[in-house]
Amino acid sequence: MKELKKIVFSIACLMSGFCFAQTAEEIITIFTDLDRVPDYNYSTILIDNIEANGSVEHMLIKQYGGGDNGLKNTVFDFIQPASAKGTRILQAEKLGRADDRWVYLPELRTIRRIAAADRYKSFVGSELTYNDMTLRKIDEDKNEIISPSENIEVGGVLYNCWKIKSTPIKLNEVEYGYRISWFDKKTYIPVRTEFYDKRNPDKMIKINEVEKLEMVKGVTGIEYPLRRSTLVTNLNTKRKSRVTVKDFKFDEKISDSYFNQTWLASGKAK
């Protein structure tokens, strides 16, 4: 099914001589399309939290992702630093309502549900939030194209992009008033996203930039766009978080036993 969709889309582009004019909703729908995400994925993620004075804290995380009836579940297992070791997070996608998120706190030996009101807060001390760790659903934002074709250099690479403004429908659930993203026309990946303040719409508060973007293959040979390195900059504090995918494996089945609260508490899968 994944390959068939890619072939149909490629034929449409070839017949017209170019990819037909698309709406903001169509562009973001392709970006969030589950067929662009591996059925199963495993990766080791390094997060470098860089303070304004240049000091760096390293965080190492094991990440597992799997599907159930077309829905995606993701778990994060913190390995380093010692202060975070044993912390585990489960995100479960839901239809027609907000995704479920739980965190296991080893020092308390308890599982806590992450409330919707807390999802704009820091993801374990980094400049990412819990909202940053999942894809927003198409109906959660009002999206509009600002520019249908704009060149931008990110990470030393020149991209031709759609420039899109996205305004959340429920502002109380996010940490910003709106965001502006540059979607690469080849991969449909937002290579740069700017976040703006709720109270002062002209004030940019955070930037998310893709430093390295690659097309990679899963074990089945299907290609996926992979953001190998991403830099998130807090413009208020000058603090940064660099997220690097150190290694990965796509489309190799992962046991469903990772994606439940039993795994959260024990860290053991069958």
Side-chain angles (χ1 to χ4, degrees):
M1 180 61 71
K2 292 180 181 180
E3 287 300 319
L4 178 59
K5 286 189 176 182
K6 290 181 180 179
I7 291 170
V8 170
F9 181 75
S10 298
I11 291 173
C13 290
L14 288 172
M15 289 179 66
S16 63
F18 59 94
C19 287
F20 49 84
Q22 292 169 282
T23 66
E25 286 74 16
E26 289 170 337
I27 293 163
I28 294 175
T29 296
I30 292 175
F31 166 57
T32 58
D33 186 359
L34 287 178
D35 281 335
R36 286 164 42 87
V37 178
D39 289 335
Y40 297 94
N41 66 84
Y42 158 81
S43 61
T44 303
I45 299 172
L46 175 65
I47 300 181
D48 290 329
N49 293 317
I50 307 165
E51 302 295 337
N53 63 9
S55 63
V56 182
E57 177 195 49
H58 304 288
M59 301 174 65
L60 192 66
I61 305 168
K62 300 289 186 181
Q63 181 264 330
Y64 305 85
D68 180 19
N69 297 323
L71 300 176
K72 294 297 179 184
N73 301 314
T74 305
V75 293
F76 301 93
D77 188 5
F78 287 75
I79 309 301
Q80 296 175 352
S83 59
K85 184 175 175 61
T87 300
R88 288 180 282 273
I89 295 171
L90 167 62
Q91 299 182 160
E93 188 177 39
K94 300 296 180 182
L95 284 175
R97 62 184 178 90
D99 299 345
D100 286 335
R101 292 180 176 92
W102 293 271
V103 59
Y104 173 73
L105 303 171
E107 67 275 16
L108 300 177
R109 297 185 179 181
T110 186
I111 295 173
R112 181 174 68 85
R113 187 185 184 93
I114 301 172
D118 292 334
R119 295 174 186 183
Y120 64 87
K121 295 182 179 179
S122 170
F123 180 77
V124 196
S126 73
E127 288 307 318
L128 295 109
T129 66
Y130 286 96
N131 285 327
D132 290 329
M133 304 306 293
T134 54
L135 294 175
R136 289 184 62 78
K137 296 180 174 65
I138 189 69
D139 60 355
E140 291 181 314
D141 298 310
K142 176 186 176 183
N143 300 295
E144 56 183 312
I145 294 177
I146 297 175
S147 173
S149 183
E150 187 166 308
N151 292 327
I152 184 172
E153 184 174 335
V154 183
V157 178
L158 185 65
Y159 296 94
N160 182 240
C161 299
W162 293 283
K163 185 178 179 181
I164 295 177
K165 179 180 180 180
S166 301
T167 304
I169 303 299
K170 297 181 179 179
L171 285 172
N172 63 314
E173 293 183 359
V174 295
E175 64 279 15
Y176 54 87
Y178 66 93
R179 64 189 190 277
I180 294 178
S181 303
W182 283 258
F183 284 80
D184 172 39
K185 290 191 175 183
K186 290 183 179 180
T187 62
Y188 287 79
I189 293 293
V191 293
R192 177 183 171 95
T193 299
E194 299 173 349
F195 300 81
Y196 288 81
D197 190 80
K198 288 182 180 181
R199 297 180 180 178
N200 184 356
D202 295 326
K203 182 182 179 182
M204 192 190 312
I205 57 174
K206 187 169 78 171
I207 302 172
N208 185 321
E209 290 188 308
V210 175
E211 295 182 307
K212 189 174 183 181
L213 177 62
E214 295 180 354
M215 294 301 297
V216 300
K217 288 185 178 181
V219 297
T220 60
I222 296 175
E223 282 194 329
Y224 302 97
L226 174 64
R227 287 169 276 193
R228 271 284 199 176
S229 178
T230 302
L231 183 66
V232 181
T233 303
N234 184 321
L235 298 179
N236 290 328
T237 65
K238 309 303 179 185
R239 192 170 184 264
K240 302 178 181 180
S241 290
R242 174 172 283 112
V243 182
T244 305
V245 179
K246 294 178 63 66
D247 57 72
F248 65 91
K249 187 173 289 186
F250 292 161
D251 287 333
E252 183 172 292
K253 186 172 174 58
I254 295 172
S255 171
D256 290 340
S257 60
Y258 277 95
F259 310 113
N260 56 52
Q261 294 189 35
T262 300
W263 177 86
L264 272 186
S266 68
K268 297 179 181 179
K270 296 179 182 179

